[in-house]
Amino acid sequence: MKAQATLLVWLWQAQWREQPGRTLCAALTIAVGVALALAVHLVNRSALTEFAAALALVNGQAQAQLLSRADTFEESLYPLIATRPGIEAASPVLEARVPVRGTDLSLRVLGIDALRAAQITPGLLPSAGAGRVDPTALFADDAIFLSRAAARALGVAEGAPLTLLSGDRVVELRVAGSVDAPGEGQWLAVMDIGAMQARFGRLGRLSRIDLRFAPDTDIARLRQAIEPSLPTDVVWSEAQAAEQRMSNLSRAYRVNLNVLALVALFTGAFIVQAALNLLVTRQQAETALLGMLGAVRRLAAIRVAVSAVAIGMIGAIIGVLAGLALAQAMLSLTGGDLGGGYFSGTGARLTVEPIALLLALGGGVSVALAGAIAPMRAARSISPARAVRAGSIESALSVPRRGRLGLLLAAGSWLLLQAPPVGELPLPAYAAIALLLLAGVMLVHTLLSPFAAGFARLSEYGATRIVPWLAAQRLAGAPAGAAAALGGVVASFALASAMAIMVSSFRVSVSHWLDEVLPADLYARTLPGSTAAGFGPDLQHLLAAQPGVRALEFTRLTPLLLDARRPPVVLIARPLHAVGVASRLPLIGPTLQAPADETPVWVSEAVVDLYGLGPGDRIDLPLAQAGSSAGSPPLRAFIAGVWRDYSRQHGAIAIDLADYRRLHGDGLANEIAWWLEPGIGAQAMIDAVRKLSPITEAMEFRETAQLK
């Protein structure tokens, strides 16, 4: 056994000296897939770890929460819940993400009742600044307390003023101390809830109520008793539901990037197979000699396996090192969400899990071994007596019924395409791609043999150069060897072509979509993350009265939590009836006429897929009706059609602005679209609008060409 191991090491060293470039190239294909897969996992795990830490701080010991489905709800619900039997403690919270004046940053602000929060979320309790011993500082109407990360990012110290923008209000506050519990990466601020309600124009409003139950309380029964009495715009949520919502929010980019990593690994497996097939071909004489000298036949297969393990280990080690560096670069440059905005307000640090590194190493070696299966079978089948004769490698590399197996795999891929998603992920479709690729590689030999024979016959006529003639004869005489090498080329070229076609198709589709959804010359919006805030009618009138404006449209975006386990959908209220729905929404399929007594809405494709709704169905919008009591039913709307929306993967619902304001009573807006008069430059309009208000000063402005 020791002699065999020594021999295998010697043979591997000889192979490395003879073919270092080919071996390293095969290892690098493994390294690319391992690096990308590991980097995506580490980035997402680091971001989710930081988010979970922030969630643990904000939720504290809350066992459940009553959440607003939209922005806020009436605080009259709080005493009814706090005095309910079985509820040991209830803490009201008002939350908002508001822009910081003079910067392009926004700050997550939590308004708490310090006496109630001490029972459930003690980590949110602020500490007064240096030299302040008066506990009433916590209740000052201008006091705000920042986490260390927020204070560093904003460059403010204790006692310094801080100006925030809430809707069309300018809120002047004073940094009275700090919130010490948040981790180094968490941006948040804490205020007294009463002061926040008054200063931010949200008197009588709450964002959530944190609940902790008395011992031995039947939580399921208590929930069944409370839920029917909750207002339309309030939902019961378990404490861990927020983490599930966040995981779902970032799942799309994680799945896509992991599939990209699998594509790289899949290609790597075929490249390794091609390299090892070539190794078997070039070293069949050595294999025959070893057999004649008494080596067991399986030694040739073991030799290929050792080569595969070595290639896989080299690739995996390079991939792990590259993955760690790539993950750190991603976190530094784009954050834990790769710039997607999912984890805004948290600065994730790289979290390295030993199990993840071991899985990455094992994955690289496993992929290399998977690519070595066919070469191992070929090496094992070589007979020493036949290996010295011409054509031995053809019989070793030929697989009986390869064409039939390829057709069977192709049929299996078609069947998988008919299967539904698994866990809302298109896993059967990914498996179908893998089977189709395998089928193509299997069929290479079947298709190559007649082509090679025809090419050889064709080369007999009029051949004037010896090299093409020799190549044609070689291809015709050894199609199995050529097919073995060609498999890796087919796999890599097919995947590269498929991705290029997919990206090009998506790019064209998005370009056409942008032409439909961006008809204006100039757009502006409040800072991202503060969509709940907006500017009122007075500022809207000022904007409409600006010279040089040919037409102006306001839009109101409101997040709606239809399901506590999913991220919110976005309700888009914009003028539709007056200008024509088809001119503002890229509709798909027919549009239905809503009954006279019902309000029409149009849902995006994501709403159809995620919630199973379609044209002709009714949807309950969790919004309080204008002038209604707390127990009024939700706004029931008629789904008149479906539209395509590439910008909101978790769903969007469009409603006419006039219908929205009439039913909900909300006159605010947070997006603007301008059509300018000829000769009026966009920059001139931006400069004029910025001077109107602190709100417009902090807005994001984009010309249509920039957005596209």
Side-chain angles (χ1 to χ4, degrees):
M1 190 68 182
K2 183 177 180 181
Q4 287 187 4
T6 302
L7 178 59
L8 288 172
V9 171
W10 180 79
L11 290 172
W12 163 251
Q13 291 175 343
Q15 177 189 339
W16 174 258
R17 286 194 299 269
E18 181 186 1
Q19 305 172 8
R22 184 178 296 113
T23 304
L24 185 59
C25 184
L28 288 177
T29 61
I30 301 293
V32 170
V34 170
L36 184 55
L38 180 62
V40 170
H41 171 78
L42 292 180
V43 166
N44 182 68
R45 176 49 53 191
S46 300
L48 285 180
T49 299
E50 190 68 29
F51 179 78
L55 192 64
L57 171 74
V58 172
N59 287 349
Q61 302 173 24
Q63 295 171 277
Q65 295 173 324
L66 300 181
L67 299 178
S68 171
R69 288 184 180 272
D71 179 18
T72 57
F73 58 87
E74 290 283 350
E75 70 176 4
S76 57
L77 177 65
Y78 172 71
L80 301 178
I81 296 297
T83 57
R84 193 91 183 206
I87 294 181
E88 184 177 66
S91 175
V93 179
L94 178 62
E95 181 175 344
R97 183 171 293 279
V98 293
V100 180
R101 188 175 186 182
T103 73
D104 58 355
L105 303 175
S106 60
L107 185 63
R108 183 186 185 189
V109 183
L110 300 174
I112 63 171
D113 181 332
L115 300 179
R116 302 292 183 181
Q119 304 176 62
I120 300 181
T121 53
L124 291 178
L125 292 179
S127 58
R132 295 291 302 272
V133 295
D134 184 5
T136 60
L138 301 178
F139 305 101
D141 66 351
D142 65 341
I144 189 169
F145 302 83
L146 302 180
S147 66
R148 292 186 295 272
R152 283 196 303 270
L154 298 175
V156 294
E158 292 179 0
L162 182 65
T163 305
L164 304 178
L165 302 174
S166 177
D168 50 9
R169 291 171 177 253
V170 179
V171 183
E172 302 284 353
L173 299 173
R174 172 180 50 87
V175 180
S178 63
V179 184
D180 297 328
E184 288 298 320
Q186 298 178 30
W187 289 22
L188 59 83
V190 172
M191 292 181 64
D192 175 68
I193 189 170
M196 184 174 176
Q197 287 176 326
R199 288 299 194 100
F200 285 55
R202 302 192 180 190
L203 288 174
R205 310 295 297 181
L206 298 177
S207 298
R208 73 171 194 263
I209 301 174
D210 296 332
L211 303 176
R212 197 179 74 221
F213 306 112
D216 303 324
T217 298
D218 187 336
I219 299 177
R221 180 174 296 180
L222 181 61
R223 178 175 181 175
Q224 290 177 353
I226 290 178
E227 277 192 311
S229 62
L230 293 179
T232 298
D233 50 355
V234 178
V235 63
W236 177 293
S237 175
E238 301 297 334
Q240 67 273 18
E243 189 169 357
Q244 182 180 357
R245 285 196 301 272
M246 185 55 64
S247 179
N248 288 339
L249 187 64
S250 64
R251 184 171 63 173
Y253 90 87
R254 286 186 281 121
V255 169
N256 287 331
L257 290 178
N258 280 323
V259 168
L260 184 62
L262 289 176
V263 165
L265 287 173
F266 207 58
T267 305
F270 284 107
I271 297 295
V272 170
Q273 178 180 341
L276 293 179
N277 273 329
L278 187 59
L279 171 69
V280 172
T281 304
R282 292 171 64 92
Q283 297 179 347
Q284 59 178 326
E286 298 173 16
T287 303
L289 177 60
L290 290 173
M292 292 176 180
L293 293 175
V296 294
R297 180 174 288 191
R298 68 173 180 272
L299 183 65
I302 295 175
R303 179 185 181 183
V304 175
V306 169
S307 298
V309 170
I311 291 173
M313 186 58 69
I314 294 173
I317 292 174
I318 296 174
V320 166
L321 296 177
L324 290 170
L326 183 59
Q328 184 60 61
M330 287 177 175
L331 287 173
S332 301
L333 297 175
T334 62
D337 51 12
L338 303 187
Y342 310 124
F343 303 108
S344 57
T346 60
R349 292 171 294 178
L350 183 62
T351 301
V352 179
E353 303 167 318
I355 187 65
L357 302 183
L358 291 176
L359 288 175
L361 289 171
V365 175
S366 299
V367 168
L369 283 173
I373 292 175
M376 287 171 63
R377 184 199 62 79
R380 186 180 177 87
S381 65
I382 294 177
S383 169
R386 295 181 57 194
V388 296
R389 300 200 304 265
S392 63
I393 194 62
E394 282 296 297
S395 60
L397 293 179
S398 295
V399 178
R401 298 181 296 277
R402 188 191 294 262
R404 295 180 184 178
L405 182 58
L407 293 175
L408 185 62
L409 291 175
S413 69
W414 182 85
L415 292 175
L416 283 172
L417 289 175
Q418 314 308 312
V422 177
E424 299 182 357
L425 293 176
L427 298 183
Y430 295 141
I433 294 173
L435 289 186
L436 196 59
L437 189 59
L438 286 171
V441 173
M442 290 285 185
L443 291 170
V444 166
H445 182 274
T446 305
L447 299 175
L448 184 62
S449 296
F451 172 79
F455 186 58
R457 286 194 297 269
L458 186 63
S459 66
E460 297 287 347
Y461 302 99
T464 57
R465 304 189 66 176
I466 191 64
V467 173
W469 181 85
L470 286 174
Q473 299 304 315
R474 169 66 177 169
L475 187 62
L486 193 58
V489 178
V490 169
S492 56
F493 187 77
L495 287 169
S497 300
M499 294 193 67
I501 293 170
M502 178 191 70
V503 171
S504 176
S505 175
F506 182 71
R507 194 177 172 90
V508 171
S509 297
V510 172
S511 177
H512 292 164
W513 176 76
L514 287 172
D515 290 339
E516 293 186 70
V517 299
L518 298 176
D521 302 314
L522 177 65
Y523 292 86
R525 65 173 181 176
T526 56
L527 285 181
S530 58
T531 55
F535 46 89
D538 292 341
L539 183 54
Q540 293 176 39
H541 289 313
L542 282 176
L543 290 166
Q546 288 298 299
V549 177
R550 178 163 51 91
L552 183 69
E553 286 185 1
F554 295 103
T555 300
R556 176 63 165 147
L557 302 182
T558 305
L560 296 181
L561 191 63
L562 300 183
D563 185 339
R565 298 165 300 176
R566 300 182 186 277
V569 303
V570 178
L571 181 66
I572 305 173
R574 62 186 306 185
L576 295 175
H577 297 326
V579 297
V581 177
S583 67
R584 293 293 181 267
L585 299 176
L587 297 174
I588 302 171
T591 298
L592 304 180
Q593 182 68 36
D597 58 342
E598 295 190 55
T599 302
V601 296
W602 292 261
V603 299
S604 68
E605 291 175 297
V607 173
V608 175
D609 294 335
L610 295 175
Y611 297 93
L613 298 171
D617 293 333
R618 271 73 177 176
I619 183 172
D620 291 330
L621 303 180
L623 294 170
Q625 299 188 38
S628 64
S629 60
S632 62
L635 295 176
R636 192 165 182 79
F638 176 86
I639 299 179
V642 179
W643 58 289
R644 177 161 294 145
D645 183 18
Y646 287 119
S647 62
R648 301 170 185 89
Q649 61 175 315
H650 298 286
I653 303 171
I655 185 174
D656 181 70
L657 183 62
D659 287 342
Y660 171 79
R661 289 178 171 175
R662 172 176 53 83
L663 295 170
H664 186 43
D666 177 11
L668 301 179
N670 41 27
E671 285 195 1
I672 319 166
W674 282 275
W675 285 261
L676 304 178
E677 295 284 0
I680 302 297
Q683 189 57 50
M685 180 60 65
I686 293 172
D687 294 339
V689 169
R690 284 194 187 278
K691 299 175 183 178
L692 295 179
S693 163
I695 303 302
T696 55
E697 177 186 334
M699 281 184 179
E700 284 188 341
F701 291 84
R702 291 289 185 274
E703 295 182 49
T704 302
Q706 289 178 302
L707 288 172
K708 291 182 178 181

